């Protein structure tokens, strides 16, 4: 197998002064003036890594006899610049807030807060008023060390909530790693499947998602919720996860799921150390090279407390917003969050600054 090329846009800006010197970035008003260009072997070893102005990427590859990779670079640059198709009817040229609706007693941050269907529905509708465009309903905790629940229990928790929210006109995603739950939730009105195992956790998930004919979100997780934080290892966290998600997108395409119905999520906190998470957050622009919308789920994650003063989950709002704004600067299109009003306000200001003349 030949070497592989990766391009991570840096120098991303909405500044009008960059026009002419920079390349378009995911069809937004931003452009990128430079990139981290990495070449690594089929074994995963980094062969070369350089920061280059965008205008010098192709000449550098040709000058260094990377002729084959120059074709890959041209294709990647085109993908990085192209607008994303709408996803589940949502315009991907602006950020979207996906509100977390955990119908569980044991989720790491809000376990028990919405364990009754009525509370979950009422809170979900309130979150739409606060700025959420997607409501992500889950009935099984996937926090580190979490035990699985039975399919019957997961269905008992989520189906009434999915039905009520979808009947109220909400765009609902079902957060599950089980094919039966995916199928029944879509029948109940869910319009998106969000799977932390990228449709690998259940042997029937890929087929179920293809038959459901709804958009899917593929997340990376190393290991399982029970084991993922034991000792996560990567050669290069960002590149390894990029390769994995790219392979899962191809699996979906092979199963008949169109690319415009696929989004990817690098899975912050799912089988990652603090350093892995930071590397991924800094490298979010890399994942646009896959050609799908990117979702960032970092809300209230434990590494925020580890980097700060050990705050409890509900006291990590400021750190969560810092991560979300980092994603905004790197072109992320969707954000899975607990604190909808605060995130919506941060995005309103962040976008206004970007669009200022």
């Amino acid at each position: 197998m030949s070497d592989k090329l990766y391009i991570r846009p840096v120098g991303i800006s909405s500044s009008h002064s960059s026009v002419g010197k920079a390349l378009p970035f995911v069809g937004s008003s931003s452009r990128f003036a430079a990139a981290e260009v990495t070449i690594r072997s089929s074994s995963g070893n980094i062969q070369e890594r350089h920061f280059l102005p965008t205008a010098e990427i192709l000449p550098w590859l040709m000058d260094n006899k990377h002729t084959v990779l120059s074709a890959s670079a041209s294709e990647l640059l085109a993908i990085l610049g192209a607008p994303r198709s709408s996803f589940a009817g949502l315009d991907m040229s602006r950020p979207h807030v996906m509100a977390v609706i955990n119908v569980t007693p044991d989720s790491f941050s809000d376990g028990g807060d919405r364990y009754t269907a009525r509370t979950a529905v009422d809170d979900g509708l309130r979150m739409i008023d606060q700025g959420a465009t997607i409501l992500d309903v889950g009935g099984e905790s996937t926090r580190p060390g979490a035990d699985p629940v039975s399919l019957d229990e997961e269905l008992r928790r989520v189906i009434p909530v999915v039905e009520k929210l979808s009947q109220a006109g909400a765009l609902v995603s079902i957060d599950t790693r089980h094919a039966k739950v995916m199928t029944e939730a879509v029948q109940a009105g869910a319009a998106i499947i969000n799977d932390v195992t990228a449709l690998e956790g259940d042997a029937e998930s890929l087929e179920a998602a293809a038959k459901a004919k709804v958009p899917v979100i593929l997340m990376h997780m190393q290991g399982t919720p029970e084991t993922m934080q034991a000792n996560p290892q990567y050669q290069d966290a960002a590149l390894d996860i990029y390769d994995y998600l790219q392979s899962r997108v191809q699996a979906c395409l092979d199963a008949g799921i169109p690319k415009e119905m696929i989004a990817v999520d690098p899975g912050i906190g799912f089988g990652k150390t603090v350093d892995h998470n930071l590397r991924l957050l800094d490298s979010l622009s890399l994942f646009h090279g896959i050609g799908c919308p990117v979702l960032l789920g970092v809300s209230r994650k434990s590494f925020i407390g580890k980097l700060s003063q050990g705050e409890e989950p509900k006291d990590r709002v400021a750190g969560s917003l810092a991560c979300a704004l980092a994603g905004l600067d790197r072109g992320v299109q969707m954000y899975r969050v607990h604190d909808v009003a605060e995130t919506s306000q941060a995005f309103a200001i962040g976008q206004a600054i970007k669009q200022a003349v």
Side-chain angles (χ1 to χ4, degrees):
M1 189 181 293
S2 60
D3 293 343
K4 184 171 181 178
L5 178 77
Y6 305 81
I7 297 178
R8 177 171 72 93
V10 297
I12 302 165
S13 174
S14 298
S15 171
H16 298 289
S17 64
S18 68
V19 175
K21 303 176 184 178
L23 297 179
F25 184 55
V26 293
S28 67
S29 59
S30 296
R31 301 172 75 86
F32 66 104
E36 178 189 67
V37 179
T38 303
I39 299 171
R40 73 170 181 169
S41 67
S42 57
S43 64
N45 294 321
I46 303 296
Q47 305 292 80
E48 298 192 56
R49 175 171 276 161
H50 304 278
F51 286 91
L52 299 169
T54 50
E56 295 180 17
I57 294 173
L58 293 176
W60 178 83
L61 289 168
M62 296 300 292
D63 289 347
N64 287 274
K65 298 182 171 52
H66 297 301
T67 307
V68 174
L69 292 180
S70 66
S72 297
S74 296
E75 181 180 356
L76 261 178
L77 291 171
I79 292 171
L80 288 166
R84 296 295 173 258
S85 301
S86 64
F87 184 79
L90 299 176
D91 178 6
M92 291 290 104
S93 67
R94 70 176 186 86
H96 292 274
V97 173
M98 170 190 275
V100 178
I101 309 290
N102 284 326
V103 194
T104 60
D106 56 346
S107 291
F108 83 97
S109 172
D110 57 354
D113 287 359
R114 301 181 180 92
Y115 194 36
T116 67
R118 179 166 184 171
T119 301
V121 171
D122 288 347
D123 284 0
L125 297 176
R126 176 176 52 82
M127 289 174 172
I128 291 176
D129 291 339
Q130 293 175 338
T133 50
I134 308 170
L135 302 180
D136 192 42
V137 177
E140 179 189 39
S141 174
T142 51
R143 76 186 194 286
D147 294 324
V149 301
S150 69
L151 285 177
D152 287 344
E153 176 62 13
E154 186 179 355
L155 288 166
R156 184 195 68 78
R157 294 175 181 180
V158 301
I159 295 303
V161 178
V162 170
E163 286 180 338
K164 292 291 186 182
L165 288 174
S166 61
Q167 288 169 3
L171 180 64
V172 178
S173 62
I174 180 64
D175 175 12
T176 184
R177 50 181 174 155
H178 301 115
K180 184 177 181 180
V181 179
M182 295 174 191
T183 299
E184 295 198 22
V186 170
Q187 291 171 351
I192 300 169
I193 293 169
N194 180 21
D195 183 4
V196 298
T197 72
L199 300 177
E200 280 197 301
D202 182 326
E204 298 177 2
S205 288
L206 189 57
E207 181 181 2
K211 286 182 177 178
K213 298 187 184 301
V214 299
V216 298
I217 300 170
L218 309 174
M219 196 195 82
H220 173 273
M221 174 173 61
Q222 188 176 98
T224 67
E226 299 94 321
T227 65
M228 63 188 180
Q229 290 306 110
N231 186 29
Q233 299 284 331
Y234 301 91
Q235 286 183 281
D236 182 297
L239 301 188
D240 290 356
I241 292 166
Y242 179 99
D243 287 347
Y244 172 80
L245 290 173
Q246 194 172 53
S247 73
R248 295 309 299 159
V249 169
Q250 187 59 54
C252 287
L253 296 175
D254 294 342
I257 301 173
K259 195 166 188 177
E260 60 269 21
M261 292 175 63
I262 305 171
V264 296
D265 175 355
I268 300 293
F270 282 78
K272 283 93 176 172
T273 65
V274 171
D275 287 343
H276 294 150
N277 289 327
L278 292 174
R279 164 78 168 137
L280 287 170
L281 285 165
D282 188 41
S283 302
L284 287 168
S285 61
L286 168 77
F287 293 93
H288 295 297
I290 297 173
C292 301
V294 176
L295 182 142
L296 176 62
V298 71
S299 179
R300 300 183 182 178
K301 292 288 174 75
S302 63
F303 84 96
I304 296 171
K306 291 175 182 177
L307 289 169
S308 184
Q309 298 179 14
E311 295 89 348
E312 292 299 311
K314 291 182 180 180
D315 294 322
R316 299 173 190 159
V317 179
S320 301
L321 294 178
C323 294
L325 289 173
L328 190 67
D329 286 340
R330 291 160 177 78
V332 171
Q333 290 93 355
M334 293 180 284
Y335 302 78
R336 187 177 184 274
V337 310
H338 299 84
D339 304 292
V340 173
E342 294 85 347
T343 305
S344 298
Q345 184 182 87
F347 284 169
I349 304 306
Q351 284 185 286
I353 293 170
K354 282 178 173 292
Q355 295 165 3
V357 178

